[in-house]
């Protein structure tokens, strides 16, 4: 059964659920452990698995553009769907979210609208107004309601605790190998190729040019080896991230020369 997507806080589940809770920016290795655990428990209980998340980092609501996004809505949705989740609930972060008390969030949304049977979250999960809800409170609420709770410990690689912040730092430093280890895949740029003046083609190395989406994390400026997916087929090339070297218009973009490829 295909995953269903829901973007309203008022969504009411038509079945009981096991819910993975978190912001999940990047859907990195630690996030996948949380989500996969929820899917496993849902299968054991014969109920639906669900991911509850936000359309942005809460920090970006109060301080716009303060936290670059590793995965936008569609990238996050695709990555979550690959983990065999039944329901992807990604709601806009706004007053109806940050003003709700932890108890009301638990009782009205998790229990009332989503019919939670079991919750799964990371060790540092917080919820409700001013992040007043923590694991200790969540455990008490689950115990009182008679539902299960699984808390996933921190996941580390090469002695570094995996987190969205650590991935942002690695990409900002140009350490794409470390970022890929923490993500469990290479960092992805998924955006339309835009047409330019074809100056690079005239110089003998045609390029595919992509703009970075609004608030999308931009890796350290430089030249990278890249893999490019074209109609399901992998090609390789080199990508310059930065100001376009073939055009002096100060546009920040990713400019990719694809090896052994001449199509549009």
């Amino acid at each position: 059964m295909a995953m269903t997507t829901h973007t309203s806080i008022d969504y009411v589940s038509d079945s009981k659920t096991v819910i993975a809770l978190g912001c999940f920016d990047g859907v990195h290795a630690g996030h996948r452990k949380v989500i996969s655990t929820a899917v496993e428990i849902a299968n054991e209980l014969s109920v639906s698995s669900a991911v509850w998340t936000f359309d942005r980092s809460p920090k970006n609501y109060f301080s716009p553009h303060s936290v670059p996004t590793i995965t936008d809505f569609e990238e996050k949705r695709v990555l979550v769907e690959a983990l065999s989740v039944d329901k992807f609930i990604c709601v806009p972060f706004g007053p109806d979210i940050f003003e709700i008390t932890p108890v009301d969030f638990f009782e009205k949304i998790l229990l009332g609208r989503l019919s939670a049977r079991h919750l799964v979250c990371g060790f540092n999960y917080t919820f409700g107004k001013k992040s007043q809800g923590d694991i200790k409170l969540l455990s008490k609420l689950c115990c009182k309601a008679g539902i299960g709770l699984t808390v996933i410990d921190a996941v580390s690689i090469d002695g570094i605790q995996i987190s969205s912040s650590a991935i942002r730092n690695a990409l900002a430093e140009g350490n794409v190998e470390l970022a890929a280890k923490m993500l469990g895949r290479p960092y992805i740029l998924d955006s339309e190729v835009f047409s330019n003046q074809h100056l690079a083609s005239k110089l003998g190395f045609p390029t595919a040019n992509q703009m970075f989406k609004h608030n999308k994390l931009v890796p350290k400026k430089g030249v990278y080896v890249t893999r490019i997916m074209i109609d399901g087929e992998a090609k390789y090339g080199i990508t310059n991230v930065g100001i376009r070297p073939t055009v002096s218009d100060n546009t920040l973009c990713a400019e990719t020369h694809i090896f052994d490829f001449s199509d549009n």
Side-chain angles (χ1 to χ4, degrees):
M1 184 174 67
M3 183 181 77
T4 58
T5 299
H6 311 277
T7 57
S8 171
I9 190 175
D10 296 323
Y11 167 69
V12 177
S13 175
D14 58 1
S15 62
K16 296 184 183 299
T17 58
V18 174
I19 309 170
L21 300 166
C23 190
F24 301 127
D25 185 25
V27 194
H28 59 56
H31 294 154
R32 287 202 303 281
K33 187 170 183 180
V34 172
I35 296 169
S36 295
T37 299
V39 171
E40 291 171 7
I41 295 172
N43 290 337
E44 291 171 3
L45 297 177
S46 298
V47 300
S48 297
S49 58
V51 165
W52 167 274
T53 188
F54 301 130
D55 66 338
R56 74 187 86 175
S57 166
K59 293 179 181 178
N60 282 336
Y61 181 86
F62 299 103
S63 180
H65 320 312
S66 60
V67 181
T69 300
I70 301 172
T71 46
D72 62 23
F73 173 87
E74 181 60 18
E75 290 167 344
K76 186 188 292 189
R77 189 196 66 78
V78 169
L79 290 166
V80 167
E81 186 171 28
L83 298 173
S84 300
V85 170
D86 296 314
K87 302 173 186 288
F88 178 61
I89 307 162
C90 185
V91 301
F93 187 85
D96 53 352
I97 292 290
F98 68 72
E99 289 292 344
I100 194 169
T101 67
V103 173
D104 280 349
F105 172 70
F106 180 84
E107 293 181 347
K108 294 180 179 180
I109 296 179
L110 299 183
L111 293 185
R113 295 174 187 164
L114 302 182
S115 302
R117 283 281 308 277
H118 196 108
L119 303 177
V120 185
C121 61
F123 69 100
N124 57 354
Y125 178 70
T126 59
F127 61 104
K129 188 174 183 178
K130 297 182 179 179
S131 298
Q132 293 170 339
D134 57 12
I135 297 299
K136 185 176 181 180
L137 175 59
L138 189 59
S139 179
K140 289 181 180 179
L141 293 171
C142 287
C143 185
K144 181 180 178 181
I147 69 171
L149 172 65
T150 299
V151 179
I152 303 299
D153 292 332
V155 177
S156 297
I157 191 164
D158 293 345
I160 299 173
Q161 183 175 306
I162 297 174
S163 69
S164 298
S165 296
I167 292 166
R168 292 187 192 98
N169 291 337
L171 289 168
E173 295 168 358
N175 192 343
V176 290
E177 290 184 350
L178 176 59
K181 286 182 179 179
M182 290 191 284
L183 283 167
R185 65 181 185 282
Y187 182 59
I188 298 168
L189 172 60
D190 180 11
S191 68
E192 286 187 31
V193 172
F194 68 90
S195 180
N196 62 8
Q197 301 174 40
H198 304 292
L199 298 182
S201 296
K202 296 174 183 177
L203 295 174
F205 51 96
T207 58
N209 305 298
Q210 295 170 282
M211 303 292 289
F212 289 91
K213 295 178 183 177
H214 175 69
N215 204 44
K216 175 75 171 174
L217 189 150
V218 179
K220 182 180 180 180
K221 293 178 182 178
V223 179
Y224 297 88
V225 174
T226 48
R227 184 169 67 232
I228 305 95
M229 299 305 297
I230 305 171
D231 296 329
E233 182 182 359
K235 296 284 187 179
Y236 289 85
I238 54 172
T239 297
N240 180 79
V241 173
I243 304 303
R244 295 162 65 189
T246 58
V247 183
S248 56
D249 63 358
N250 295 321
T251 300
L252 179 66
C253 74
E255 191 172 22
T256 301
H257 175 63
I258 306 170
F259 301 143
D260 302 318
F261 182 80
S262 58
D263 293 342
N264 186 356

